Amino acid sequence: MKFRWNKKYLYWGTTAFAVICASLLFYFIIFRMDIFLGRIKNLASILMPVICGAIIAYLLIPVVNFQERRIYYILEEKRHLALDKKHKKIIRYICIAFALVFAGLVIYSLLAMIMPSILESIISIINDSPRYVQNIRHWLESLLKDNPEWQTTVFDYLNRYSPKIETFLNVEVLPQIKQLLQSLTTGVFGTLVFIKNLLIGLIISVYMMAGKEAFVTQSKMLVYAIFDTENANSIVKAFRFIHRTFGGFISGKIVDSIIIGILCYIGTSIIGTPYGLLVSVVVGVTNVIPFFGPYLGAIPSAFIILMVNPMHCLYFLIFILLLQQFDGNILGPKILGDSTGLPSFWVLFSILLFGGLFGFVGMIIAVPVFAVFYRLISEYICGMLRRKKLSARTDDYRELDHIDPIEGTFIEHTEK
């Protein structure tokens, strides 16, 4: 007897298997979060070379595309040369090599110019901490000389905690800084694992940049092979939005933070703030984090300046307030625009959530990742409303009391 395969059984079997897997995954996410995150971290550590390569390729592809467009324009438009696939492949690898060398030179130049001064400033702060404590003591004496009770209370706290802070800086922080400085001067950057991941990641990034069109094409073929045409179109559209959101936000935020760091260094140099380079680097790096970044950078920087000169600390806080107002109202919108379209509440929520789960990196990627989820959920809700022949406009629901179940008309709320 010939066996006849029924596709209906395959469909229901696959559906049941997917439901079971989704239920198990949901259970582990809710009740075994530590195990779930541990598995993700293990998988990420295994795939770290691929992740490094993908990040490098994603950041350098705009540089490669810019070079290719310029070279094609010069050769094809200006000199009227016909380029075949072989010539274009050679041009691409030349552009990739130039992009990698350019990125390496930029990173090396920044490290060579900034890192020695930063480490020297940190060690100077730690070594001179007793003198800075005395500066704060003298400043408080002059400030509280007319209030003996407050003076006694403040100095009790100062005498109680200043030895502990000094011991912590000299015993815990200073040896690590000196060890880091020694490793940097001898050319040892990180561990062997980091070097291995970086080297393999560079090789992987070359393959990714060289075959970027092939990867995109194969991904589209896979999507259209698995899903029906309508859903596949929606998925491709969603990934285009993801690319625009991540590319625009990450690159724009990096440029914005570099400009803020440079402006901070210029401003601190003008007002004579001590450790201006160190403070500017801290402010620029933390500015990558939306909303919380300016405060995360300004608070430790202000504390460092306070130990040296309290009045300069006041000048610095005023300058940082003006700088962040300039960044938030003028520079940031000019560079980033409305790249995410995420309301302010969800910006704050996403940073808290991803920062708690993934630390500093999570705070950086929180806004674009959550913006993608927010957009996808919004489009899904709007699609469900349209299928029910209801309005998908937010304003139509603002004063809504109820919807007539028969005619489908919107009845506004009227207060008595």
Side-chain angles (χ1 to χ4, degrees), residues 2-3 12 17 68 78 80 99 103 106 122 155 190 222 236 255 261 281 285 289 296 410:
K2 187 176 180 181
F3 176 76
W12 286 111
F17 178 75
E68 285 185 340
K78 295 290 187 180
H80 305 287
V106 170
I122 294 174
F155 278 109
L222 178 64
V236 172
V255 172
V281 171
V285 171
I289 302 174
L296 293 176
F410 283 54

Side-chain angles (χ1 to χ4, degrees), residues 1-18:
M1 181 178 178
K2 187 176 180 181
F3 176 76
R4 298 182 63 183
W5 181 263
N6 194 333
K7 292 184 178 180
K8 180 175 68 175
Y9 297 132
L10 176 62
Y11 171 79
W12 286 111
T14 305
T15 303
F17 178 75

